[in-house]
Amino acid sequence: MGELRVLAIETADDLRLAAFDPEARADVLLAGSRAATLKLTNQLNAADADRPVTVARTSWLDLAAARALADPATDLAHPLQGPFRAIPTDNGVDASAALELARLTGILPAFFVTDSGDAEVSVHPADILCYDSPERLAIVARARLPVEACESAEIIAFRSPETVSEHVALILGKPDGQPPLVRLHSECLTGDVLGSLKCDCGPQLHAALHEIAESGWGILLYLRQEGRGIGLINKLRAYELQDQGFDTVDANLRLGFAIDSRDFGVAGRMLDLLGQSQVRLLTNNPAKVAGLQASGITVVERVAHSLPANPHNEKYLATKRDRTGHQL
């Protein structure tokens, strides 16, 4: 099979689809979790919901039908027409890379796929893996930044050569020879900036800054991994599904993403560049402890970090406790 060529369903229109696939033969590639929601994976023996799923092209699988397959927003209001048939995915490595590319670019993980003709994107898995590799991060700028919690703070920016996404570290206080108190905080525009009550991100951020400052010294790592790594627009799509009654876990799965797509190896690389191999970690999330330890950082202590719930985020916090193992 030749090089996998893909056309993102979310950004396609009739003209682009016709140019990409003039004979209307391109199949549809979906994430396994999305296909499982659509009950397509049970049509194949030993189906694995974590793997890419290819849906055979039919005369009724036009652009509108493909969009319905890709986007769960209208699943409840408009049941899918069909039938649709899952078929073997022959180029699984390329297909997985295409779905990862969707996550990195913040679009729905769904494509028209073919191994011939012109395409918006030709998938090269090695390039995608390199693009998202924590090992490529480097310090690119640093400056003094007085903040409300600590007037002697310093901000340090990190970036890799392939991407414009910047992660930052805020160092509060002066190193004293002891492991720093460290908080990994994933970007949350709605909570950190707009004061959303649907999550606890904003209050956790501000409480962490004060707790780190009061501990003597420490580091807040602000990771640009919005929406647990699926991006702002897809996070808002997850909000829409939550309004339909799905919790945060099921919303992500219905969209075709993992429950949590964040890479805490990024934080490990940042700490390594800052010369810190041992930390006290301010978190309720065991995955953050495991992620740092897997990247070579020793977590000498986990420090609990929880705040009171409000009527808008009670279910969200319960989901974190019951379905993702947070120790609230």
Side-chain angles (χ1 to χ4, degrees):
M1 179 168 286
E3 182 179 83
L4 182 70
R5 299 177 182 276
V6 300
L7 176 72
I9 290 173
E10 179 176 339
T11 59
D13 57 33
D14 289 327
L15 290 176
R16 289 157 75 186
L17 178 57
F20 171 73
D21 183 31
E23 297 181 4
R25 297 177 61 183
D27 296 321
V28 168
L29 177 69
L30 299 175
S33 59
R34 176 61 180 153
T37 296
L38 299 171
K39 303 189 184 305
L40 293 174
T41 51
N42 61 6
Q43 297 176 20
L44 291 176
N45 292 331
D48 185 344
D50 293 328
R51 295 184 179 179
V53 172
T54 302
V55 179
R57 189 70 176 273
T58 62
S59 59
W60 54 87
L61 212 175
D62 57 9
L63 180 57
R67 284 178 175 158
L69 286 176
D71 190 346
T74 61
D75 280 357
L76 299 182
H78 303 289
L80 287 173
Q81 304 299 311
F84 300 106
R85 181 171 60 92
I87 59 176
T89 301
D90 296 326
N91 43 8
V93 173
D94 288 359
S96 294
L99 298 176
E100 176 65 5
L101 179 63
R103 185 189 68 81
L104 291 170
T105 55
I107 62 174
L108 290 168
F111 298 91
F112 287 106
V113 292
T114 180
D115 61 350
S116 63
D118 296 328
E120 282 189 345
V121 178
S122 297
V123 176
H124 300 279
D127 291 342
I128 294 173
L129 293 175
C130 179
Y131 179 95
D132 203 31
S133 172
E135 286 72 24
R136 303 286 287 170
L137 279 179
I139 293 174
V140 293
R142 59 197 307 162
R144 186 178 67 88
L145 183 68
V147 296
E148 187 268 335
C150 178
E151 294 186 6
S152 61
E154 180 186 19
I155 190 168
I156 301 172
F158 303 76
R159 186 173 63 198
S160 68
E162 293 81 16
T163 177
V164 296
S165 294
E166 305 98 349
H167 305 281
V168 300
L170 190 68
I171 299 179
L172 297 93
K174 300 296 182 183
D176 57 9
Q178 299 300 312
L181 182 61
V182 171
R183 171 69 180 169
L184 313 187
H185 187 88
S186 299
E187 177 182 32
C188 178
L189 174 70
T190 50
D192 299 344
V193 179
L194 303 178
S196 168
L197 298 176
K198 286 177 66 70
C199 63
D200 57 348
C201 298
Q204 279 200 335
L205 172 61
H206 296 291
L209 288 171
H210 283 277
E211 189 162 351
I212 292 171
E214 291 166 4
S215 74
W217 93 283
I219 305 168
L220 183 129
L221 301 181
Y222 196 83
L223 309 176
R224 306 300 294 276
Q225 299 184 359
E226 177 81 51
R228 296 182 183 171
I230 66 175
L232 176 62
I233 291 174
N234 286 320
K235 182 176 84 169
L236 299 185
R237 288 177 170 135
Y239 279 179
E240 185 177 4
L241 293 175
Q242 290 167 38
D243 288 341
Q244 296 177 20
F246 299 102
D247 65 23
T248 52
V249 168
D250 288 331
N252 274 27
L253 293 174
R254 293 183 78 87
L255 284 166
F257 296 107
I259 295 171
D260 192 334
S261 298
R262 290 174 292 182
D263 181 0
F264 296 120
V266 170
R269 170 64 174 169
M270 294 166 73
L271 289 168
D272 183 58
L273 290 171
L274 294 173
Q276 303 301 320
S277 60
Q278 295 186 332
V279 303
R280 300 169 59 229
L281 190 61
L282 187 61
T283 187
N284 302 320
N285 186 354
K288 291 183 178 180
V289 176
L292 282 189
Q293 292 179 333
S295 66
I297 304 298
T298 300
V299 178
V300 299
E301 180 185 5
R302 184 187 72 83
V303 181
H305 185 57
S306 58
L307 295 166
N310 68 61
H312 301 278
N313 69 15
E314 287 177 335
K315 184 177 179 180
Y316 164 82
L317 294 176
T319 299
K320 289 208 295 186
R321 180 194 64 219
D322 299 337
R323 301 198 65 185
T324 60
H326 284 60
Q327 298 168 346
L328 302 180

